């Protein structure tokens, strides 16, 4: 049921998804701290140690892919099965790779694989994060919110830009 992180996938635009290995943990933890800092500070939740440790505590190479662009690490994402859906977690792009269509291209690939399995995809995004617009453009809708997180879901087969109902 999971979207395999083990095999490499080549996307248009020269990016590649490769399976994560244990040695990737620290570079991914650092990427998480960099990418999430502004949103966590805005929410009064940034902690230098905790932002990295949360990644370390939940790191699962089995379900994690590293996004490579031009031979360099451009980001990562985790797609794990749970609760009858695939959960998209730890989707981070290096700041210099954001806003160039890479996130959309990677997300389309993940969603096509999920659609082929006929399973919904869930995620959570920090309140006020610009990433929420990316997810909404790809058919995710809000299921619930709390003071920090917005929980979203995308049913199988929804096309990008297609409004869905909750």
């Amino acid at each position: 049921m999971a979207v395999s992180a083990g095999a490499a996938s080549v996307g248009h635009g020269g990016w590649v998804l490769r399976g994560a290995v244990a040695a990737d943990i620290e570079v991914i933890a650092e990427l998480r701290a960099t990418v999430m800092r502004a949103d966590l500070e805005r929410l009064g939740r940034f902690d230098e140690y905790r932002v990295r440790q949360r990644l370390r505590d939940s790191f699962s190479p089995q379900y994690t892919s590293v996004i490579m662009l031009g031979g360099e690490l451009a980001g990562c994402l985790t797609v794990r099965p749970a609760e009858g859906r695939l959960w998209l977690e730890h989707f981070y792009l290096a700041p210099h790779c954001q806003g160039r269509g890479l996130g959309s291209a990677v997300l389309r690939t993940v969603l096509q694989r999920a659609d082929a399995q006929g399973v919904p995809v869930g995620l959570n995004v920090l309140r006020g994060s610009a990433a929420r617009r990316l997810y909404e453009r790809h058919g995710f809708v809000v299921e619930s919110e709390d003071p920090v997180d917005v929980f979203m879901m995308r049913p199988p087969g929804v096309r990008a830009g297609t409004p869905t109902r909750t």
Side-chain angles (χ1 to χ4, degrees):
M1 176 178 264
V3 175
S4 173
S9 299
V10 179
H12 299 301
W15 60 270
V16 175
L17 285 181
R18 71 152 171 87
V21 296
D24 291 321
I25 193 168
E26 290 306 317
V27 71
I28 293 173
E30 228 17 74
L31 177 63
R32 180 180 198 272
T34 299
V35 171
M36 294 190 67
R37 183 178 195 119
D39 281 331
L40 288 170
E41 285 178 341
R42 179 180 42 77
L43 294 167
R45 312 265 307 176
F46 185 78
D47 176 288
E48 285 282 350
Y49 173 78
R50 197 165 140 204
V51 70
R52 292 167 180 84
Q53 193 59 41
R54 286 188 63 141
L55 182 282
R56 292 179 191 118
D57 290 345
S58 64
F59 183 67
S60 175
Q62 175 184 6
Y63 300 118
T64 302
S65 295
V66 174
I67 305 162
M68 303 294 293
L69 181 63
E72 295 186 18
L73 185 137
C76 64
L77 73 155
T78 299
V79 182
R80 68 173 176 82
E83 304 167 15
R85 64 179 62 178
L86 295 174
W87 282 96
L88 177 60
E89 303 169 321
H90 303 302
F91 187 11
Y92 312 119
L93 290 180
H96 69 277
C97 295
Q98 295 175 12
R100 298 175 26 197
L102 179 59
S104 285
V106 171
L107 186 55
R108 272 192 306 274
T109 298
V110 169
L111 296 175
Q112 287 168 356
R113 292 177 184 178
D115 288 349
Q117 297 174 32
V119 294
V121 178
L123 60 82
N124 66 291
V125 62
L126 291 173
R127 278 182 169 269
S129 171
R132 179 175 171 173
R133 290 189 305 276
L134 168 70
Y135 300 129
E136 289 172 338
R137 284 194 311 269
H138 288 273
F140 284 84
V141 295
V142 174
E143 284 191 306
S144 64
E145 300 183 43
D146 67 26
V148 176
D149 292 304
V150 177
F151 297 87
M152 303 180 81
M153 190 274 299
R154 179 194 172 270
V158 173
R159 283 185 268 210
T162 303
T164 57
R165 297 177 193 237
T166 55

